[in-house]
Amino acid sequence: DSGVTQTPKHLITATGQRVTLRCSPRSGDLSVYWYQQSLDQGLQFLIQYYNGEERAKGNILERFSAQQFPDLHSELNLSSLELGDSALYFCASSVAGTRGNEQFFGPGTRLTVL
Amino acid sequence: GENVEQHPSTLSVQEGDSAVIKCTYSDSASNYFPWYKQELGKGPQLIIDIRSNVGEKKDQRIAVTLNKTAKHFSLHITETQPEDSAVYFCAASGPDRGSTLGRLYFGRGTQLTVWP
């Protein structure tokens, strides 16, 4: 158990819908990262937050957004869902937001868009 | 950005044998190289990492080596056991250029199967 929690574990929804994925980092970690894992793209970095502020953006679609709250939990919002958004979404956390910090992953949320 | 290549994509070994997974990276500014193990239905688990000021690091049956000149690093698992069966990912930290703070660049993964 990494100490990072994610809910829900599974999510099934229809195209065009909007969903919210939630992540709680390990106790003491200030930085949260979101990654998408699909068979064709592998593990892709989406976005990073540090202590409530956005720090880095990767291959995140405009239909996707995220935020980190004062209690440090984070939410990833996915809207206007398409079939191709079906994937595993992982949250990871680290103590600081800088390069070289160990990142610990949560169990993931499996999103299925029908 | 950084590009991480990982080989092989699948690896089958007999229990007790050694397994080696290799990765190359493109950006010489990368300085942190973690390895993750992902079991079916679970998130990636950090198993070992190495920083650019070190050439080799060991932790019981696993070891990682880094060759900065050639820009490649490898994971070595000795005395493999069936419970080592999983997908293994290598990653690199990439350059420290503001917008890439903290993110990891991952290889495509190696499915390791250890036969009893």
Side-chain angles (χ1 to χ4, degrees), chain A residues 40-78:
Chain A
D40 57 339
Q41 294 292 325
L43 267 165
Q44 296 286 318
F45 169 73
L46 294 178
I47 196 164
Q48 175 197 0
Y49 279 82
Y50 175 77
N51 204 20
E53 293 189 5
E54 181 184 305
R55 288 294 291 271
K57 263 186 176 179
N59 302 322
I60 188 166
L61 301 171
E62 286 191 11
R63 300 183 285 108
F64 296 0
S65 64
Q67 55 183 336
Q68 186 179 28
F69 295 86
D71 67 352
L72 301 178
H73 90 272
S74 178
E75 292 180 358
L76 179 66
N77 300 297
L78 315 176

Side-chain angles (χ1 to χ4, degrees), chain B residues 16-20 60-63 76-81 84:
Chain B
D17 288 348
S18 294
V20 180
Q60 299 183 342
R61 295 187 298 108
I62 60 173
H76 304 252
I77 306 174
T78 59
E79 300 173 22
T80 54
Q81 302 166 4
D84 293 330

Side-chain angles (χ1 to χ4, degrees), chain B residues 59-108:
Chain B
D59 183 3
Q60 299 183 342
R61 295 187 298 108
I62 60 173
V64 57
T65 59
L66 172 65
N67 183 325
K68 287 188 297 182
T69 303
K71 289 189 283 188
H72 69 69
F73 56 113
S74 300
L75 177 71
H76 304 252
I77 306 174
T78 59
E79 300 173 22
T80 54
Q81 302 166 4
E83 50 265 40
D84 293 330
S85 296
V87 179
Y88 291 81
F89 292 94
C90 63
S93 62
D96 189 4
R97 291 181 194 148
S99 64
T100 60
L101 288 173
R103 66 164 294 178
L104 292 173
Y105 296 80
F106 283 87
R108 295 301 298 267

Side-chain angles (χ1 to χ4, degrees), chain B residues 23-46:
Chain B
C23 289
T24 60
Y25 59 100
S26 61
D27 196 316
S28 56
S30 282
N31 68 350
Y32 174 64
F33 307 91
W35 285 88
Y36 287 85
K37 174 184 181 182
Q38 186 176 20
E39 296 175 314
L40 199 60
K42 297 186 177 181
Q45 174 195 0
L46 178 65

